[in-house]
Amino acid sequence: MGKNLNDIKKPIFYFSSTLTEGNRNMRDILGSKGANLAEMTSIGLPVPPGFTITTTTCAEFYATGQKLSRGLINDIHKYIGRLERDTGKHFGSNSNPLLLSVRSGAAVSMPGMMDTVLNLGLNDQSLQGLEQATGNRRFALDAYRRLINMFGDVVMGIDHHHFEAELDRIKKRHRAKQDTDLNVNGLKAVIDAYKQIYKKHTRQDFPQDPYEQLQKAVEAVFHSWNIPRAIAYRRINDIRGLLGTAVNIQTMVFGNMGNDSGTGVAFTRDPTSGENVLYGEFLINAQGEDVVAGIRTPEPVLKIKAWRPDIYRQLLATKQLLEKHYKDMQDVEFTIEQGKLFILQTRTGKRTGNAAVKIAVDMVRERLITRKTALMRVPPNDLNQLLLPSFIDKAKGNVLTKGLPASPGAASGYPVFTADEAVEKKEKGTKVILVRKETSPEDIHGMDAAEGILTSTGGTTSHAAVVARGWGKCCITGAADIIIDEANRTLRINGTLIRGSDVISIDGSTGEVMLGDIPRKRPGFSKEFYTLMQWADKTRKLEIRTNADTPADARVARRFGAAGIGLCRTEHMFFGEKRILAMREMILADNTTARRKALKKLLPYQRRDFEGIFTAMKDLPVTVRLIDPPLHEFLPQEITTQQRVAKDLGLSLDYIQRRVDQLHEINPMLGHRGCRLTVTYPEILEMQVRAIVEAAINCRRRHINAMPEIMIPLIGVDKELSMLRELVLRTITAVKAEKQYDGKLAIPIGTMIEIPRAALTADEIAVHADFFSFGTNDLTQMTLGYSRDDIGSFLPEYLDKQILPHNPFQTIDMIGVGQLVDMAVTKGRSVKEKLKCGICGEHGGDPDSITFFASVNLDYVSCSPFRVPVARLAAAQAVLKNQLDLFI
Amino acid sequence: MGKNLNDIKKPIFYFSSTLTEGNRNMRDILGSKGANLAEMTSIGLPVPPGFTITTTTCAEFYATGQKLSRGLINDIHKYIGRLERDTGKHFGSNSNPLLLSVRSGAAVSMPGMMDTVLNLGLNDQSLQGLEQATGNRRFALDAYRRLINMFGDVVMGIDHHHFEAELDRIKKRHRAKQDTDLNVNGLKAVIDAYKQIYKKHTRQDFPQDPYEQLQKAVEAVFHSWNIPRAIAYRRINDIRGLLGTAVNIQTMVFGNMGNDSGTGVAFTRDPTSGENVLYGEFLINAQGEDVVAGIRTPEPVLKIKAWRPDIYRQLLATKQLLEKHYKDMQDVEFTIEQGKLFILQTRTGKRTGNAAVKIAVDMVRERLITRKTALMRVPPNDLNQLLLPSFIDKAKGNVLTKGLPASPGAASGYPVFTADEAVEKKEKGTKVILVRKETSPEDIHGMDAAEGILTSTGGTTSHAAVVARGWGKCCITGAADIIIDEANRTLRINGTLIRGSDVISIDGSTGEVMLGDIPRKRPGFSKEFYTLMQWADKTRKLEIRTNADTPADARVARRFGAAGIGLCRTEHMFFGEKRILAMREMILADNTTARRKALKKLLPYQRRDFEGIFTAMKDLPVTVRLIDPPLHEFLPQEITTQQRVAKDLGLSLDYIQRRVDQLHEINPMLGHRGCRLTVTYPEILEMQVRAIVEAAINCRRRHINAMPEIMIPLIGVDKELSMLRELVLRTITAVKAEKQYDGKLAIPIGTMIEIPRAALTADEIAVHADFFSFGTNDLTQMTLGYSRDDIGSFLPEYLDKQILPHNPFQTIDMIGVGQLVDMAVTKGRSVKEKLKCGICGEHGGDPDSITFFASVNLDYVSCSPFRVPVARLAAAQAVLKNQLDLFI
């Protein structure tokens, strides 16, 4: 892909209008920012010149004792020389000094996670030079104090608050409200104070040698690659296989050189709606970091039109050029220095699921990309956001305030004020909204744990907004009316006091903040969504079914495009008020006759349930799984309930307690459940099969084409299946005869493959099965020996230490569990060539797992109703990924 | 093997001195009894002539609606004709009637399990004939009443007690104490009464047509193949793959024709000690069934010498002939009819483990068999009996009574009086002795559940004795002083009243019955045992190690021939008084420093334990498994203990309870244990490795060659092992440096393969392992999804319904779990050719499993100390079985 192998040894790549050594395809070694700076320079965009130190160099830095090599330092000097020639400025000069920014940049964008130093090259001498070159003493002093602060903090690890406190003290003394109110004397005092802080904490003077500054800064960027928060970000976002970070060293431009200067962030399309308009925010007379950090609330980018129509036209042209070139929506950082536009960075813009769909489909229409590319463009998980509920308008009630709609969705929860509190409460099952003045990378884990995020400052491109949008998490920023009292754990919104015990609701699509737990509704879909889904359906080979136990779920899934039910659990049906009593009567029975009597009471309920589901899924298959959980799950564990049940069933409390004790299991996961129950109590199976067949016959007689399939869970030994299959067939025949039904009613009988032994002996089992359905939840538990209920005690550490690449209950463990799936499909089809194979574990809705399932030739995946569109798209991508593998 | 394929179609095989169609190699189709009747006839033994209907015919009977075919009935008529010609008697004749026995006989002997009819052919007419031929009216009447009783019971299913009650009534009326006291009139009354019982229950007259009798009897034998107790016997004894039962129809001979008649059972060697002497019992003037049923207590066979020296000589000659011919110890049934000896049956004699070893080794010396045959002759599990404890003589105290020493061993337990009670109490963990007047096949399950069996009647060849010996279970029969009061659940022995709450002890080697729980001692071994073990060691390829956690166990195992320790668990070491407190302190610690402090206290204990074990096993490898069970197993669950621990450790009760709650797991089997513990608490691993290394160094400095190996349990992912191996190596190096030890101390580091995923990814794991040790207990739990603690709720039904061929925790599931073992060995050795592979689950002591482990080329098995000799022999047999497979 245009990358020369020798390039890897080259430690530095230069970019300027006179020479550009890199390009966009080199993000592995230049990082994504560096590759794009080179690319943008090549296509003629006004990028301040500079150079990039490669990720390979970072890897080498770690391999060789975390020191910069002599050779590298020499190279840096050489390239600084070239930069001096190209800019006509001189590093450390007392007349026209070259100032640099030093930024990290890995191959994958990690917003805010890596460290940056600006204004590098300033010292007591070049300060004079900057003042001379700009004619602005105040500006020069401000730049210098920023450098000492940033350098001290980022490079030398001096806590930011030392600088902040000193600044506040001096501002107070000079009666300055804002930083900008400080005059030259004030700034001088700040610089002196900062130098003292620097010395106190490092026992060295602030370095006056600009090369020493640069060298230390480069080292700091390299170090920042492996600080805990960077590692955590990579883990949370499942980013792996990178060499390290690149370092971008670039000529400084200043958006804070007066009112003809400014800085901003622009998206080439609206990242929330996907609309084809220039979108973003800017601040006049500000440094770039001010926008991202959310300290001042910026203006919409559209307002540049009024302020500087020439710049706005340039920005529109840049948008066109970038999209034509990159063929995707871009997220651009720009700075206007004294009326001149500079582009500092471009990268693929993060977007909501909604926007991803619209942009992909629109770009096909605009002939920028092909349908295949469009399908690959939308991360399947992002579709979840489209399916996110929104609040029912009428139920909204009193809106307390309105912030910026930073990431769509609707969330309710108890307010929490720190990231740790969010995690803590989440672990206890409490839904929370993280409420902060602003968020920073330190808050990542709390943002992950919260239902939604609400900040009182910051714009729609602030840290909170960018991260939340990336995750599809509901977020409101810049809700300025909110006063947070972290100490008392309360917040006050326009006079209303909200405590930690009050639920609040936030609407990420409107920015509205409300009191109480507002009811939500399911969303409608855009026409672009339907278009994309159509393309996906034409492309994919996997059939997508759903896991649904009720007619309502079945209807939802059908609307989302499910081609049938792959898993209809029957046990939830036993939990209704009257049913549970009959169920308990059945379990407590100590002989077959009593058990049959209780089962007879359950029959009408089950039949009615099945009729409802078959009707909702008419003309489509419904795979009913026979009873699965251990019986003790249905028995009351608490004495009061036990007493009530004893009374209701006319049994002694003692008897019930004895029975509960008897049925208790040490490891219920590996106990008396699944088909083991119907082996020992065949009458349960008979009742369930009877209910299915009677329901199907009733439907057919109402001209509703019920298509039941019967699935027997937890098979481990072929004889279990052959015996139970026999019993199912006998029951079907008996019920048909009894109901004098002589229509065609072929009911396939299959099994779940969820015990390792079943996979290992799939050739023996397939003889008795019309289909296989992989229960990858249980298969994962047994293959890895992880109880899903107990994994919390070690999984986080396993992920941290990278023993596991991901939670195996989210994405299938392909090497282990996947090997068994593959083996079972192969063995099963070795005796039944056309054996239908599907999967109905939760992995059925996980895109990476779906790619795997496609690769082992499953016929279908079955997932929860709201994952059906995700699965449809992921299945299409699985096909396309294979094509890409073939042709590139 | 001399069996013609066409033979299978031939339904009947004849045997008499004029024509013999079968031979001993045809037991598959003639059953073992039938094949031996043919064989014995061929070699000239005096066998009453008859014929055998094949097992194939039985299978056909079941295949074709359980009816005898026309063709078969014709064949039977034909062979009866031949029999009439050979004997000069006539079926149903009123002058010299041919009387027949009809007996079942499968390919494998199943004592007492199948039904038998004697005297068949008698009716009102031939009764006259029998009287005429024998000149003994009383005898003829007695034979007839026996036929009606047996035919009614066995063929027509009339409960035996109906006949018994009527007999008692008539005996009382005729003032007869014994059956034999009944005179002709009494017997006539019995016959009339029996006929009425017959009619009442069958609504038919007792069949007068002898062919009808025969046909019905044959059908009954076939039916008896599938009655529940026959199925249960096959299950308990793991008998599979048989076609059905054969039917042996043979001319009757009578041991009850006066005082020159008799019947007996003889073994060609002593089945208890193995000594080369004629051994057995006989009764004068009795039917054969009387001996086996244990109703009268018989005389030792030696007494025949005095009674009829000619017969005794004939018996000795028969012994010689049979052993020379069969090359094994035989169990012979014989009858003396009016001074003439008949041999009715021979079969390989059941024997104790002791006898099996002695007979096998003696027969090699006698040049009857080869060493290989001798090795194959002893069922490895029978060696267990040699290792059975016996009572310490001095501790025996008061012997209440003495019965017959029917099966050796020493057992103590609470007396129970029914089989059901035995099973019930056993399930609750109570050890019981089954005390019965006599046992019958209906008692099988109770005999299985009991520690030992004690009967008040019956000889050493009674049902109880034969079954108990087969199982190697301690048994005393014919303890005539015992009066059993089943209703009050007590027994009285010579005036001592024993209640269900009193423990009794029985010595199966002496026949002594004692009150109380007598202490036992371990056995010494015979020289034959050592000889056989030597032969086994020369033959086997598998190395045999032991599972031992203490120096005492290690010494025992070493004496039994263990070549090292394959599994030294370390967790039991934490349960001592002071240790458990330090262990609890460690678990309750909420930070690493506190945890390290507690671990430091545990270190000296562990080090001392290891020194003891290394010393006991000097020069042999000791594989130490690092901590495995979940931590909550060490915490107190009861409030009183919790309170004490709180006090001892200066913690609040509340804290301890919270910690217990926190550590509670839903499925502990799949939870936070094994290497997962040392991943999250590496300091535990460091302490254990330190203890091992320090102990090894201390030993070496005392010139004791300690050879530790370190085994990491529950590995599922290669990275777990690579990370922990690294830590183990670092710790070893650190301790060696600290102790200034520079001798060679290479400690192999391996892993258990006990999680399915580990087997599936063994090639990845082997990279970091010096050896694999299969933990087949856990591997079975996870591969089959069976919790060993909870399997009781469905395993019995699974065995009954033959869903599982055997308990997979006893004998390895070769198809499923075995497939993973095979796969892991192959994958492991694909990356490390010489990778040492062993197994340390309980299957390591199971002969069938050992055969399997040999077949997949494991290097060693490790089993409990008392299974070591079993494993040595089984490993030799595994080699020989392969040779047999090769050459036959």
Side-chain angles (χ1 to χ4, degrees), chain A residues 769-793:
Chain A
D770 298 325
F771 60 88
F772 278 178
S773 178
F774 290 92
T776 50
N777 297 348
D778 279 6
L779 193 60
T780 297
Q781 296 201 75
M782 289 182 235
T783 305
L784 277 86
Y786 295 157
S787 161
R788 201 155 47 144
D789 296 318
D790 305 309
I791 199 176
S793 52

mmCIF file of all heavy atoms in Angstrom, chain A residues 769-793:
data_model
loop_
_atom_site.group_PDB
_atom_site.id
_atom_site.type_symbol
_atom_site.label_atom_id
_atom_site.label_comp_id
_atom_site.label_asym_id
_atom_site.label_seq_id
_atom_site.Cartn_x
_atom_site.Cartn_y
_atom_site.Cartn_z
ATOM 1 N N ALA A 769 -30.446 -35.373 15.122
ATOM 2 C CA ALA A 769 -30.816 -33.954 15.180
ATOM 3 C C ALA A 769 -31.162 -33.422 13.802
ATOM 4 O O ALA A 769 -30.464 -33.706 12.826
ATOM 5 C CB ALA A 769 -29.664 -33.141 15.771
ATOM 6 N N ASP A 770 -32.249 -32.640 13.730
ATOM 7 C CA ASP A 770 -32.564 -31.965 12.468
ATOM 8 C C ASP A 770 -31.811 -30.654 12.362
ATOM 9 O O ASP A 770 -31.675 -30.108 11.277
ATOM 10 C CB ASP A 770 -34.067 -31.724 12.369
ATOM 11 C CG ASP A 770 -34.851 -33.032 12.356
ATOM 12 O OD1 ASP A 770 -34.335 -34.006 11.769
ATOM 13 O OD2 ASP A 770 -35.939 -33.092 12.939
ATOM 14 N N PHE A 771 -31.367 -30.144 13.487
ATOM 15 C CA PHE A 771 -30.554 -28.919 13.450
ATOM 16 C C PHE A 771 -29.727 -28.818 14.717
ATOM 17 O O PHE A 771 -30.038 -29.457 15.722
ATOM 18 C CB PHE A 771 -31.421 -27.662 13.278
ATOM 19 C CG PHE A 771 -32.420 -27.446 14.371
ATOM 20 C CD1 PHE A 771 -32.080 -26.746 15.516
ATOM 21 C CD2 PHE A 771 -33.714 -27.944 14.263
ATOM 22 C CE1 PHE A 771 -32.994 -26.547 16.542
ATOM 23 C CE2 PHE A 771 -34.656 -27.753 15.278
ATOM 24 C CZ PHE A 771 -34.294 -27.058 16.414
ATOM 25 N N PHE A 772 -28.664 -28.047 14.635
ATOM 26 C CA PHE A 772 -27.815 -27.698 15.785
ATOM 27 C C PHE A 772 -28.006 -26.214 16.070
ATOM 28 O O PHE A 772 -27.995 -25.412 15.144
ATOM 29 C CB PHE A 772 -26.331 -27.871 15.455
ATOM 30 C CG PHE A 772 -25.783 -29.263 15.549
ATOM 31 C CD1 PHE A 772 -24.449 -29.503 15.220
ATOM 32 C CD2 PHE A 772 -26.575 -30.334 15.946
ATOM 33 C CE1 PHE A 772 -23.908 -30.776 15.294
ATOM 34 C CE2 PHE A 772 -26.046 -31.627 16.029
ATOM 35 C CZ PHE A 772 -24.717 -31.837 15.692
ATOM 36 N N SER A 773 -28.108 -25.867 17.318
ATOM 37 C CA SER A 773 -28.063 -24.453 17.679
ATOM 38 C C SER A 773 -27.038 -24.299 18.800
ATOM 39 O O SER A 773 -27.198 -24.876 19.868
ATOM 40 C CB SER A 773 -29.439 -23.985 18.130
ATOM 41 O OG SER A 773 -29.375 -22.633 18.511
ATOM 42 N N PHE A 774 -26.002 -23.550 18.531
ATOM 43 C CA PHE A 774 -24.931 -23.420 19.514
ATOM 44 C C PHE A 774 -25.355 -22.470 20.632
ATOM 45 O O PHE A 774 -25.733 -21.330 20.364
ATOM 46 C CB PHE A 774 -23.641 -22.923 18.864
ATOM 47 C CG PHE A 774 -23.031 -23.957 17.976
ATOM 48 C CD1 PHE A 774 -23.322 -24.015 16.625
ATOM 49 C CD2 PHE A 774 -22.197 -24.934 18.512
ATOM 50 C CE1 PHE A 774 -22.782 -24.997 15.813
ATOM 51 C CE2 PHE A 774 -21.661 -25.921 17.710
ATOM 52 C CZ PHE A 774 -21.953 -25.955 16.357
ATOM 53 N N GLY A 775 -25.311 -22.974 21.841
ATOM 54 C CA GLY A 775 -25.567 -22.140 23.009
ATOM 55 C C GLY A 775 -24.223 -21.660 23.502
ATOM 56 O O GLY A 775 -23.619 -22.269 24.374
ATOM 57 N N THR A 776 -23.749 -20.584 22.910
ATOM 58 C CA THR A 776 -22.359 -20.199 23.182
ATOM 59 C C THR A 776 -22.169 -19.610 24.572
ATOM 60 O O THR A 776 -21.042 -19.513 25.034
ATOM 61 C CB THR A 776 -21.836 -19.224 22.110
ATOM 62 O OG1 THR A 776 -22.779 -18.164 21.964
ATOM 63 C CG2 THR A 776 -21.649 -19.933 20.792
ATOM 64 N N ASN A 777 -23.249 -19.213 25.257
ATOM 65 C CA ASN A 777 -23.068 -18.744 26.638
ATOM 66 C C ASN A 777 -22.562 -19.896 27.493
ATOM 67 O O ASN A 777 -21.523 -19.805 28.135
ATOM 68 C CB ASN A 777 -24.387 -18.236 27.226
ATOM 69 C CG ASN A 777 -24.936 -17.045 26.481
ATOM 70 O OD1 ASN A 777 -24.234 -16.452 25.664
ATOM 71 N ND2 ASN A 777 -26.172 -16.700 26.734
ATOM 72 N N ASP A 778 -23.327 -20.980 27.513
ATOM 73 C CA ASP A 778 -22.922 -22.113 28.337
ATOM 74 C C ASP A 778 -21.656 -22.758 27.793
ATOM 75 O O ASP A 778 -20.790 -23.191 28.552
ATOM 76 C CB ASP A 778 -24.047 -23.153 28.411
ATOM 77 C CG ASP A 778 -25.088 -22.741 29.441
ATOM 78 O OD1 ASP A 778 -24.968 -21.620 29.971
ATOM 79 O OD2 ASP A 778 -26.007 -23.521 29.707
ATOM 80 N N LEU A 779 -21.542 -22.819 26.479
ATOM 81 C CA LEU A 779 -20.347 -23.431 25.893
ATOM 82 C C LEU A 779 -19.100 -22.656 26.332
ATOM 83 O O LEU A 779 -18.053 -23.255 26.615
ATOM 84 C CB LEU A 779 -20.467 -23.455 24.359
ATOM 85 C CG LEU A 779 -19.458 -24.331 23.625
ATOM 86 C CD1 LEU A 779 -19.561 -25.794 24.059
ATOM 87 C CD2 LEU A 779 -19.627 -24.236 22.108
ATOM 88 N N THR A 780 -19.232 -21.355 26.431
ATOM 89 C CA THR A 780 -18.107 -20.545 26.918
ATOM 90 C C THR A 780 -17.836 -20.837 28.386
ATOM 91 O O THR A 780 -16.682 -21.004 28.794
ATOM 92 C CB THR A 780 -18.403 -19.038 26.704
ATOM 93 O OG1 THR A 780 -18.531 -18.796 25.311
ATOM 94 C CG2 THR A 780 -17.289 -18.167 27.271
ATOM 95 N N GLN A 781 -18.900 -20.920 29.181
ATOM 96 C CA GLN A 781 -18.706 -21.196 30.614
ATOM 97 C C GLN A 781 -17.943 -22.500 30.805
ATOM 98 O O GLN A 781 -17.013 -22.578 31.602
ATOM 99 C CB GLN A 781 -20.054 -21.287 31.338
ATOM 100 C CG GLN A 781 -20.834 -19.975 31.327
ATOM 101 C CD GLN A 781 -21.884 -19.914 32.444
ATOM 102 O OE1 GLN A 781 -21.562 -19.730 33.605
ATOM 103 N NE2 GLN A 781 -23.137 -20.059 32.091
ATOM 104 N N MET A 782 -18.340 -23.534 30.068
ATOM 105 C CA MET A 782 -17.739 -24.844 30.313
ATOM 106 C C MET A 782 -16.385 -25.004 29.627
ATOM 107 O O MET A 782 -15.504 -25.666 30.152
ATOM 108 C CB MET A 782 -18.698 -25.939 29.866
ATOM 109 C CG MET A 782 -19.889 -26.028 30.798
ATOM 110 S SD MET A 782 -21.016 -27.347 30.341
ATOM 111 C CE MET A 782 -22.524 -26.442 30.186
ATOM 112 N N THR A 783 -16.231 -24.421 28.446
ATOM 113 C CA THR A 783 -14.969 -24.578 27.739
ATOM 114 C C THR A 783 -13.845 -23.816 28.432
ATOM 115 O O THR A 783 -12.713 -24.283 28.495
ATOM 116 C CB THR A 783 -15.117 -24.100 26.274
ATOM 117 O OG1 THR A 783 -16.204 -24.798 25.689
ATOM 118 C CG2 THR A 783 -13.856 -24.366 25.486
ATOM 119 N N LEU A 784 -14.176 -22.659 28.964
ATOM 120 C CA LEU A 784 -13.160 -21.885 29.665
ATOM 121 C C LEU A 784 -13.171 -22.133 31.165
ATOM 122 O O LEU A 784 -12.261 -21.695 31.867
ATOM 123 C CB LEU A 784 -13.348 -20.392 29.397
ATOM 124 C CG LEU A 784 -12.728 -19.886 28.096
ATOM 125 C CD1 LEU A 784 -13.683 -20.074 26.942
ATOM 126 C CD2 LEU A 784 -12.312 -18.448 28.206
ATOM 127 N N GLY A 785 -14.227 -22.797 31.641
ATOM 128 C CA GLY A 785 -14.311 -23.004 33.086
ATOM 129 C C GLY A 785 -14.587 -21.707 33.832
ATOM 130 O O GLY A 785 -14.076 -21.501 34.919
ATOM 131 N N TYR A 786 -15.384 -20.826 33.222
ATOM 132 C CA TYR A 786 -15.736 -19.561 33.870
ATOM 133 C C TYR A 786 -17.227 -19.550 34.178
ATOM 134 O O TYR A 786 -18.034 -19.669 33.275
ATOM 135 C CB TYR A 786 -15.469 -18.365 32.942
ATOM 136 C CG TYR A 786 -14.030 -18.118 32.573
ATOM 137 C CD1 TYR A 786 -13.720 -17.411 31.419
ATOM 138 C CD2 TYR A 786 -12.988 -18.559 33.388
ATOM 139 C CE1 TYR A 786 -12.403 -17.164 31.062
ATOM 140 C CE2 TYR A 786 -11.671 -18.308 33.036
ATOM 141 C CZ TYR A 786 -11.387 -17.614 31.867
ATOM 142 O OH TYR A 786 -10.084 -17.373 31.515
ATOM 143 N N SER A 787 -17.562 -19.380 35.445
ATOM 144 C CA SER A 787 -18.955 -19.152 35.794
ATOM 145 C C SER A 787 -19.260 -17.696 35.519
ATOM 146 O O SER A 787 -18.609 -16.810 36.071
ATOM 147 C CB SER A 787 -19.179 -19.470 37.266
ATOM 148 O OG SER A 787 -20.361 -18.870 37.722
ATOM 149 N N ARG A 788 -20.251 -17.451 34.677
ATOM 150 C CA ARG A 788 -20.542 -16.069 34.326
ATOM 151 C C ARG A 788 -20.936 -15.252 35.561
ATOM 152 O O ARG A 788 -20.695 -14.064 35.642
ATOM 153 C CB ARG A 788 -21.642 -16.002 33.278
ATOM 154 C CG ARG A 788 -21.625 -14.698 32.540
ATOM 155 C CD ARG A 788 -22.241 -14.800 31.180
ATOM 156 N NE ARG A 788 -23.501 -15.511 31.226
ATOM 157 C CZ ARG A 788 -24.531 -15.198 30.464
ATOM 158 N NH1 ARG A 788 -24.431 -14.199 29.624
ATOM 159 N NH2 ARG A 788 -25.622 -15.897 30.507
ATOM 160 N N ASP A 789 -21.530 -15.930 36.532
ATOM 161 C CA ASP A 789 -21.957 -15.234 37.743
ATOM 162 C C ASP A 789 -20.784 -14.871 38.638
ATOM 163 O O ASP A 789 -20.921 -14.036 39.522
ATOM 164 C CB ASP A 789 -22.916 -16.126 38.541
ATOM 165 C CG ASP A 789 -24.193 -16.399 37.760
ATOM 166 O OD1 ASP A 789 -24.702 -15.456 37.143
ATOM 167 O OD2 ASP A 789 -24.657 -17.549 37.766
ATOM 168 N N ASP A 790 -19.674 -15.547 38.482
ATOM 169 C CA ASP A 790 -18.572 -15.365 39.428
ATOM 170 C C ASP A 790 -17.328 -14.756 38.799
ATOM 171 O O ASP A 790 -16.340 -14.515 39.477
ATOM 172 C CB ASP A 790 -18.197 -16.723 40.041
ATOM 173 C CG ASP A 790 -19.395 -17.404 40.690
ATOM 174 O OD1 ASP A 790 -20.059 -16.741 41.494
ATOM 175 O OD2 ASP A 790 -19.666 -18.566 40.373
ATOM 176 N N ILE A 791 -17.385 -14.487 37.497
ATOM 177 C CA ILE A 791 -16.175 -14.078 36.790
ATOM 178 C C ILE A 791 -15.705 -12.691 37.212
ATOM 179 O O ILE A 791 -14.534 -12.338 37.047
ATOM 180 C CB ILE A 791 -16.415 -14.138 35.254
ATOM 181 C CG1 ILE A 791 -15.103 -14.170 34.505
ATOM 182 C CG2 ILE A 791 -17.289 -13.010 34.797
ATOM 183 C CD1 ILE A 791 -15.250 -14.329 33.004
ATOM 184 N N GLY A 792 -16.619 -11.911 37.826
ATOM 185 C CA GLY A 792 -16.298 -10.539 38.223
ATOM 186 C C GLY A 792 -15.067 -10.448 39.116
ATOM 187 O O GLY A 792 -14.366 -9.445 39.108
ATOM 188 N N SER A 793 -14.774 -11.523 39.870
ATOM 189 C CA SER A 793 -13.663 -11.456 40.806
ATOM 190 C C SER A 793 -12.305 -11.472 40.113
ATOM 191 O O SER A 793 -11.320 -11.086 40.705
ATOM 192 C CB SER A 793 -13.750 -12.609 41.806
ATOM 193 O OG SER A 793 -13.896 -13.836 41.134
#
